[in-house]
Amino acid sequence: MDVRSRDRAEGTALFRNRQGRHGRPARRPLFLVALVAALAGVLAATIVVALTGWRPFGSGEPSVDRPAAPATRVGAGAPGDWPAWGFTHTQNSVDVERGPARALADLAGNPVVQVTPIMGWGVDNPQPRPGEYNWASLDRRMATIERTGGTPVITLCCAPDWMKGGPAGRTDWSKLERAVEPKDFDAFAAMAAAVAERYPQVKYYTVWNEFKGFWNPRANRWDYQGYTKLYNQVYDALKKVDGDIRVGGPYMVMNSNAPNWRHGPPAELKGSWGSMDQRNLDAIKYWSKHKKGADFIVVDGHSQPVQREIKLNDFQALTKFSDVTRWLRALEPDLPVWWAEWYVEPVPSDWTDERRGAVHTAAMMEFVRGGAASAFYWSPQTTTAADCPGCLWSGPRAGGGATPTLAMLQNFDRWFPPGTRLVDVKASDPAVRVLAQEKQMVVVNGSERPVRPRIDGKPVELGPYEVRWVAR
């Protein structure tokens, strides 16, 4: 899914900078500037609170004084058997036709984590009527995960129509992203428990997806109270089924604005990539304080800002992933950080396969450096054909096997499992990125020109946007 389309409130006039983005005021005496700024800040905060309900940072929720340090080991303390790297099945996946056979064999050759929702993205409505279950499509997908040796993860999204104010027995897929109504939170929690009872092999669950439907337009913020109530009921229901089940939330989309963007409330998390939407951070902090419990903290996001017309350097933008991860680790020091989805490519895109592969690999390197314990690639929702940019396997006309994208995920799973000690290795060319452990390293040429840097004391020749795995 395109996570950047979720920020529907950017058009509100309250958060527009009427002086323009690059205007410079004339010089004035410093004490006057300070006084005017202070009064303006108080007035702006008062207006925001009065008209939108948004509360600035420091209103009683947990605070992050400074981000956590970069990781020295993969997963930053996650258990060695933690489900670290993999992908999410979407609309057109290998479970539909139980193939292509070569893709299934390639998946089984180096198994990784495989995530599936319970409804949508290739899975039918699991409970079209109260008390009536339809497990056929979810059974098929779970069988494919088991057949290929993958570690199964379930995303508890989305909900049947009758839990969202619609009629029982019908599924309007155009309303997939509507939230569960509060009166049916208990019904959704009961359905989550039924899922857990049917698939006892699944030990990892994320609750809902990107706060879908939980937006409060009147307050110009997320309905984090509603989501957290739903989360807590699901958490209790899953733990009653099996106390060893691990549950995570809040699955917030980490939208960010371009550098120097002056609209909206001030953000506490910034970087060379821009600044976070503070409303999203506020939602995470509310959940963090009011949840009953959690075994990991979940987010997703795009490296580029929501302002699509502003394009950052592909590789510069990736530092957002490590910065956000370190902020989350500081907020919840005891919880592994889990990226349920991640995106790097602008829409529309003219990227070559080589450029796409280089940016994908560099993004994974940022997750590792930031201390993320998990990151799952969102499989493109296109028919599998000979030309399928970013797909994990090719269609029959192209052989039907794994693509370099899947091979990259499998290599991270093999060489950088949780607990692996990271080794600091530099490249003589600043365009080249390196992630290393004791026995292996991955090298990325982040430029469109050939380079010949020295890495780990040895000369290495790299073509434009080349990715290479090198033994140490």
Side-chain angles (χ1 to χ4, degrees):
M1 72 192 65
D2 184 355
V3 299
R4 293 180 295 170
S5 65
R6 302 288 176 252
D7 192 18
R8 298 187 178 93
E10 291 302 324
T12 179
L14 178 65
F15 291 149
R16 287 180 181 165
N17 180 350
R18 302 184 185 278
Q19 296 182 2
R21 293 175 52 207
H22 303 295
R24 295 192 179 196
R27 289 181 62 87
R28 293 179 175 86
L30 291 180
F31 77 94
L32 289 178
V33 173
L35 177 61
V36 171
L39 292 174
V42 172
L43 178 60
T46 302
I47 294 174
V48 168
V49 170
L51 297 185
T52 71
W54 177 82
R55 294 296 192 273
F57 175 56
S59 56
E61 303 306 341
S63 62
V64 176
D65 295 329
R66 61 174 60 88
T72 57
R73 290 184 180 271
V74 179
D81 61 349
W82 191 259
W85 320 120
F87 67 91
T88 297
H89 288 277
T90 56
Q91 188 67 33
N92 298 289
S93 195
V94 289
D95 65 298
V96 178
E97 301 293 338
R98 291 183 169 82
R102 184 177 164 191
L104 292 172
D106 289 342
L107 270 173
N110 190 348
V112 296
V113 182
Q114 299 181 42
V115 187
T116 183
I118 60 170
M119 178 177 174
W121 300 281
V123 180
D124 291 336
N125 187 337
Q127 195 180 8
R129 293 182 177 86
E132 177 185 308
Y133 289 96
N134 170 26
W135 301 113
S137 61
L138 189 53
D139 280 351
R140 182 183 65 225
R141 182 159 287 178
M142 296 302 296
T144 298
I145 296 173
E146 183 176 3
R147 175 183 174 184
T148 55
T151 300
V153 171
I154 285 180
T155 300
L156 292 169
C157 184
C158 293
D161 290 37
W162 61 270
M163 296 185 192
K164 302 179 292 190
R170 293 174 52 190
T171 301
D172 184 346
W173 292 104
S174 70
K175 298 177 181 178
L176 179 65
E177 298 189 358
R178 288 194 177 183
V180 181
E181 293 196 348
K183 67 181 180 62
D184 289 310
F185 283 180
D186 57 344
F188 186 83
M191 184 176 69
V195 172
E197 290 170 349
R198 186 170 185 83
Y199 306 108
Q201 72 273 30
V202 180
K203 299 301 181 184
Y204 301 89
Y205 287 84
T206 58
V207 180
W208 208 240
N209 174 303
E210 293 186 336
F211 269 55
K212 283 180 169 58
F214 285 96
W215 177 256
N216 185 336
R218 189 171 183 181
N220 191 29
R221 63 164 175 82
W222 295 103
D223 176 16
Y224 37 72
Q225 294 100 329
Y227 169 82
T228 303
K229 183 178 179 181
L230 174 67
Y231 172 89
N232 285 337
Q233 291 187 227
V234 172
Y235 178 87
D236 283 344
L238 291 174
K239 292 292 186 176
K240 286 180 181 178
V241 173
D242 182 354
D244 291 333
I245 287 177
R246 295 177 177 179
V247 187
Y251 206 145
M252 169 54 67
V253 54
M254 303 303 283
N255 283 339
S256 58
N257 295 306
N260 301 318
W261 192 256
R262 301 189 185 281
H263 306 311
E268 65 188 82
L269 178 57
K270 300 178 181 179
S272 60
W273 41 268
S275 58
M276 292 303 305
D277 187 322
Q278 184 63 37
R279 296 167 297 182
N280 298 4
L281 300 181
D282 290 343
I284 293 174
K285 291 192 293 184
Y286 181 90
W287 170 86
S288 175
K289 181 178 180 180
H290 298 277
K291 67 184 183 304
K292 282 195 174 180
D295 299 292
F296 53 95
I297 184 168
V298 190
V299 295
D300 75 352
H302 201 296
S303 61
Q304 294 287 336
V306 295
Q307 293 78 29
R308 295 182 182 228
E309 71 280 6
I310 300 175
K311 301 294 191 297
L312 304 182
N313 175 275
D314 305 334
F315 295 91
Q316 172 194 351
L318 298 178
T319 57
K320 169 183 172 179
F321 292 145
S322 53
D323 287 350
V324 170
T325 298
R326 292 170 59 199
W327 185 89
L328 293 168
R329 287 173 54 211
L331 178 70
E332 288 280 7
D334 297 328
L335 299 185
V337 175
W338 179 301
W339 285 82
E341 308 168 37
W342 55 274
Y343 306 89
V344 297
E345 193 166 355
V347 179
S349 170
D350 59 356
W351 285 10
T352 63
D353 288 341
E354 292 76 14
R355 182 176 178 181
R356 183 178 299 107
V359 182
H360 280 164
T361 307
M364 289 291 292
M365 295 161 77
E366 290 296 327
F367 290 130
V368 172
R369 289 194 185 98
S374 309
F376 303 122
Y377 183 77
W378 185 267
S379 186
Q381 297 180 110
T382 59
T383 55
T384 305
D387 181 16
C388 183
C391 284
L392 297 172
W393 41 80
S394 59
R397 288 181 296 166
T403 65
T405 306
L406 178 57
M408 180 267 293
L409 297 175
Q410 291 173 321
N411 276 334
F412 270 91
D413 182 78
R414 177 185 180 187
W415 294 111
F416 292 96
T420 302
R421 187 174 67 87
L422 300 175
V423 178
D424 188 20
V425 173
K426 304 292 186 184
S428 59
D429 189 323
V432 176
R433 297 187 173 209
V434 185
L435 181 70
Q437 50 113 303
E438 183 181 0
K439 296 181 179 179
Q440 188 80 7
M441 62 183 176
V442 57
V443 180
V444 176
N445 178 9
S447 71
E448 57 186 356
R449 57 179 174 81
V451 295
R452 195 172 187 272
R454 293 189 67 83
I455 302 173
D456 218 11
K458 302 174 184 177
V460 179
E461 292 187 3
L462 298 170
Y465 294 122
E466 183 177 352
V467 176
R468 189 180 303 179
W469 293 79
V470 183
R472 298 187 67 235

